[in-house]
Amino acid sequence: MRVMHMAAIIPLFGLLLAAAPVRSADLSEQTPIVVDVDLGSKGGELVFRPNTLTFEAGKLYKLVLHNPSGSKHYFSALRFASSVWTRKVEAGEAEFKGVIREIEVKPGGEAEWFFVPVKAGTFELMCTVPGHAEAGMVGKIVIR
Ligand SMILES: [Cu+2]
């Protein structure tokens, strides 16, 4: 009796598996959601614009860091950086793969950070150039 039940269940299970939709498990193959942020301003203000960034876990983002100012700035959010999976960073003619901790953008420069947030939380963002955070170059990043 027991053997007959198993014989009836196994083909059914196979049918369910065959009917499951085929979906790519490769999150890095998504089309990235583009988010732009300015580090500093043309007028020399020590700000991030916008100063609050919100991301959703599991989606691929392309965060474009622009520096329209005349001095270098850092995008530094260490706890945030360890809560995302970095696909790559593109800057100039180079592409960087691996764990990213912080990014410095030179005057007039730009960097593109491709990542998938993996852990929810609220994180502090700051520029680590001496005096900049104190002058207001701070922000907040939310992963939900
Ligand atoms: Cu700065």
Side-chain angles (χ1 to χ4, degrees), residues 72-73 127 129 132 137:
K72 70 173 185 180
H73 294 292
C127 175
V129 172
H132 286 197
M137 201 161 177

